[in-house]
Structure formats: structure tokens, C-alpha cells
Amino acid sequence: MRRYCLWIAGAWLLLAVMPVTLLAAAPAADASTELDDPAEPLIPRKPKTQKDRDKIEALSLFASGRAEEQRGNLAAALRLYQRALRYEPDSLPIVREVIAAAQKLERVRDVVNYTIRALELDPSDPRLGAIAEQLARQGDVDGALKLYEKARHVQRNTKSAAYLLFTMQYGQLSYLENHAKQAANAFHEVTVALAEPDAYSLNAKQRRTLEGEDGENYQVFGQAFLAADRSDEARRAFERMQEISPDKAIYAFNQAQVLAHEKKYAEALEHLREYLNSDETPATDAPYVLLANILKELDRSGELLPELAKLYADDSSNAALKLYLADQYLAADKPADAEPLFAALQKKTPSLQGYRGLLEAYTALDQPEKAVELLAEVHEKTNGLEIVSEQVKKIGKQPQVLDRLVETARRMTKSSKTTTAYNASMAVGLVALDAKRFELADEMFEQAIQTKPRSREAWLEWGLGLLRAEKYAEAATVFRRAIDSHVLAADNPAFHTYLAMALAMDKKTDEALATAREAAEIGEHSARLESRVAWVHYHAKQYPEAQTAYRELIDKFDDDYKSDEVRSVLREARLALSNLCVLQDKIPEAEEWLEQVLDEYPDDTSALNDLGYLWADQGKHLERALTMVEQAVDAEPDNTAYRDSLGWVYYRLKRYPEAVEQLEKATADESPDGVILEHLGDAYMANKQRAKARETWKRAVAAMKKAGEKDKAAKVEKKLKK
């Protein structure tokens, strides 16, 4: 509409400047007969590229944002600036306008995010290094790596101390993230400079910063070089460390690592044993893992346990060795030898590995009392059994073992009402739930509630466990009982919320809606709780009602930018609305909801993928769609839906071999989605692989019929007939 109004204004302007005589001379009849040649459309000599069109769109959006800001509609202006930035992501002026508008609106998260974007675009900003360091401390390693990389590239002098420090920090973060090649390349630059400090004008203090006070950074350099298969550089790094801080034992271990990497196993073993027989006490199990690998390569694995046992006899206080030896005993099916080692470790310094090892040992040795006591301890200390989940699954596959655990928990409760008895019942109940032994699980949770009647967690874990096991009616019964027991404060709607979910999953929609509304009332109309009402409608396929509820949710809470929880709920609402519009074939509306998500969350992988797919399906904005979907796939490479989108964009771009490659990856699961199979069939046909296309379309039809998608199946069957 805005472009249409501009065209009208331009036409009136043209009329205003035309000569009066020309206007007066225009005949009333068809003037084409008066002309020698008919008018022809103007065809540009050079068609606009996607980049040209994006720039024009960015300018249009930016101008609209300016107009909204001048009218005082700052929120609308911010949204337009953010959208303009997506069309021209490298525009520093637009980023600065976004930051300025966000500051005025007090949207702190936007200010932080776009300040980082500004620093990426303008690496000369002196705050760059400090913010990169701050991001690293906060755990945003990817963001920190980007900023360090920018900071490196902005340094004109690659021999400066500043450049080398940024390179060092970039390498350290890369190494921690297991980007071995990236880390090794960075450390190579640092070690070259340290080898020629005069050529880089490095003073003593700067050298110490790069090397570490005692040269300890060379240890990291060496490990990174080994991980990147650069053993010569690793050897030089370890040698330099030995020059700075001589340590015969550590040097022997480092030599062993290099030699093993070079497959010189006999020499490696000699140096490793020199280290192991020294007075050095390893802080980790790395030397013992290396020993196991070397002996395996030499076909002498039988020597491992005796050698570890001898080392332990000489150094029984070595915790790393004790734990590794215990694990090896378990692996060799010697739980009786492993159990006392794990027990001693847990008594002194409890660890995750110790809990796991002990539980396996107790189970293998048929010691249910000790196993239940351990499970009770884990439950009490961690509020669950997640840290021993693998061992719990193993127990679930051994019915007799689980029966003995249940019997033990029964006895413990009969003899005592202690906290241990309560946690024993809870833990064994969770094990029974995981094994889908629901009668035993019910008994154990009832027992826990009798032991501790006011326990909210017993009701919660019981109900959620049944919900996860898709026992919806049973879960609803538990949550109702919890509500009736008044174990939560009157203003806590948690059980109402879960009850609404269980009822919805059990297809009791009216009850679910009433309960969800009650939860929202109790929770004083929080955005999260009110969103449950919309979700129930959505789940029941009551799409018009869901759409109304989600729109009302956005209207009610969209001005709240201080709560991350509210913003997250509204993001989900917009994604749901987009999907609802797709189901109703309202594609422009679906696109707009996704655009709004990306206005606020420009790197949202779900919105990037969905919008890219919608565009590809319509054959428009294909280059931009490709960029967006590639970003989503880079973020989640194992997401089959994103792979499908990428393959479909390639298909629309007529890049058929690449389409086939991506769609084959997307259909690699045991039960691939029917639509994705249809896409793969289309790609095969376009790639002139007719037999594969036909076979894949048949699979698509079968998958669609199984999913109850008869209309989609009929569409594919038409392709097969052709």
C-alpha cells in the first residue's frame, strides 16, 4: 500500500510539471493511432540481483521506521528497524538505530544483543575484547569466538602483542570447544611469535602472558597440536615447556603422547612407564587411558589390569588411578574387586562416576539393600535419578533385580518412617516407572506418600512419570488427588497446570480447558499459564479458538519487555499462530507471524527454517531462503525438518544433486515423514533417477496413509500414475 501511494504521488507530480499546451492537445479519442510506434515497456539493461532487491527493501523498511518514530510510535519503529536489518545485516547505521530505539524503550536484552552485533560490524570499538571475555565467562562461547575473530582481523599489525593476545584467547576457547584444527592454527601463530620475540617486539611481560608464568600454556599448545594431527609442532611445544620448567616425569608423559600419536607404541610405552613409575600423581586418568590404548595396539591388553593393580598397590591414595582401576574391574566383569574401590572413593569424595560404578557393582553382586540405600542417597542429594539413568535402564531390563529392590524398599518402610525410607520408596518408584512396571511404581509412590504425607514432590514425580509414559488418565487421577490433598499453597497452580495437560492428552478437552482457566485464575493471569488455554485448543484441533486465544494473549502481554518468560511465551504464541495460518492456507499471515518472531529473535532457528521453507514452497526469495535455512541447519544439523527445508530450497533453485543429498539425510530415520519422502521423490525425478523416485513416492504414500493423511497420499499417487 505504501509503494502504491508513492506511485500515485509520482504520477500527480509528473502531471504538474508537464507543459500546459501538451496537456491541452491530448485528444479524447485513442491516441495510439497518432503515434508512429506503439509504446513498449522499459526493460532494465541489468536486472536487479537479490542483493539489490534486499537493499531496496531495507531502505523502504528503514524509512517507514523513521516515519513511525517521528509519529511517536517507537515500538513500531523498532520492529521496522529490526526487519530492515535482516535485509541488510551488515548495516551499522541500522544496528545503531535499533540500539537507540531499544534503549528508549528500556528493552535491555535487545540493547545487549544488538550491541554485540554492532561490535561484530565495527571491530575497532575498544570494548570488543572486554565483551568477548564477558561472553566467554557467561558461557556464550560461540559469541565470544566471533568477537575474538573480529578483534584479530581488525588489528592491522599481525605482529602486535594485541593481535597475539586475541589469537591466544581465540585458540584457548576453540580448544575447549573441541575445534582442534581451529585451535591449532591459532596456537601456531602464537608459538611462531614466541620463537622470535624480537621480530614481534615482545617484551618479557608479554611473553609471560602468552606462555604462562611457568610455560604451562605450552601444555595446551601441545595437546591442541596432537588433536589436530600435528605431532611435530606438539613435540616442539612440549620441548619448549621442558626448557622453561624442567620436569622429567611430565616430559616423559608428553613424549609418550607424541610417540603414540606417531604409532611408535613400543617407544611410547617405555616413556609412559617412566612417568607412571615416578613420584608424579596424575590429576586425571589420561595416563592410564593412554596405557590402555598403547597395550591394545601392541596386542597386550591382558597386561593392563595387573599393571594398574601394581601401580595402585604402590600409590593407594591416587584417586584418579583408584577410579580408573575400579572401572576396569567392572569392564572385566569383576564387580567384587571394583566395589571396595568405589566405596572407598565415595566415602571420601562422592562423584557421579562413583555412584554409577557402585550401583552397577551392587546390582551385579546381588546386594539389593546396598543398591536401594545408594539410590535413596542419590535421590535425596539430587532430587532424582538422572545421574544414574543408564544404570536405572539396565535394572529395568532385569525384572528379578527390580523385584528385589521393591521388596527391600517395602521392608525399609515397614521398619522405619525415616527420610531414608521415604527416598528409597521414591527412588525405587522411579526405577519401576522407567521399566514401565506401573503397578509396582504406584505401590512405591503410595508408600512414599504414607511415609511423608505432605510431600509435594512425590505427587509431582508420580504424575509426571505417568504423563511421560503416556498414561494420561492415570496421571490425571494422581494430579487430582494432589489437588484434593492441598499439599501446595492455595496460590500455587502447578498441579492444575499438569492436570490440564493430562486431560488434554486424554482428549477430555472441556475438562482440560476448565482446569487450564482455573490455573490461570490461581496464578493471577501469568502469560505462561494463560498460554495453556490456547495450547489446549490447539492440541484439540480447535483451530479458530486457538487462534483467538493466542491473539488475545499477545494483545494482553506484548508491552511487557522486562520479563524473559513473557517474551518466550509470546515467541511460542507467534510460532503457533504461524502454523495455524499455514493449516488454513493463509500463507501471508503465516509469514508475518514468523517475521515478527525474527524481529525480536533474529537468530531464532525455528522461525528462520519455517519462513525459509514457506518461501521455497512458493518459489520466492529463494536466495534469502537458502541463507536462512542454512543458518538453521548449521545450528541444528541433526534436525530432519531443517534438512528437509534445505533440500527443498535446493530443489526450487534447480540444484538437484544437492537437493537429493540433503533430502536423503532428512529421510535417514527408521520412520521418515511422508512429506519429506515426497520431496525426495521429486528431487530424484528432477535428477533423472526415475526408479528411485518411484520407490520413494511409494514409501511416501505408505507413510502418509499410516499417519491418516489421505489427501496427501492421493496427491502422491497421482504422481505415480503419471
Side-chain angles (χ1 to χ4, degrees), residues 38 55 91 121 131 139 142 197 258 271 283 375 407 448 483 531 575 603 610 656 696 709:
K55 188 155 190 165
S91 173
L121 294 172
I131 292 182
D142 288 339
V258 175
H271 285 285
L375 286 166
E407 183 55 41
I483 292 168
S531 73
L575 290 173
D603 295 321
D610 292 356
Y656 301 127
T696 305
E709 299 170 328

Side-chain angles (χ1 to χ4, degrees), residues 158-161 164 189 192-194 196-202 206:
T158 58
K159 290 190 174 183
S160 69
L164 292 170
E189 292 189 61
V192 167
L194 288 170
E196 305 176 54
D198 293 339
Y200 287 78
S201 303
L202 295 175
Q206 291 165 340

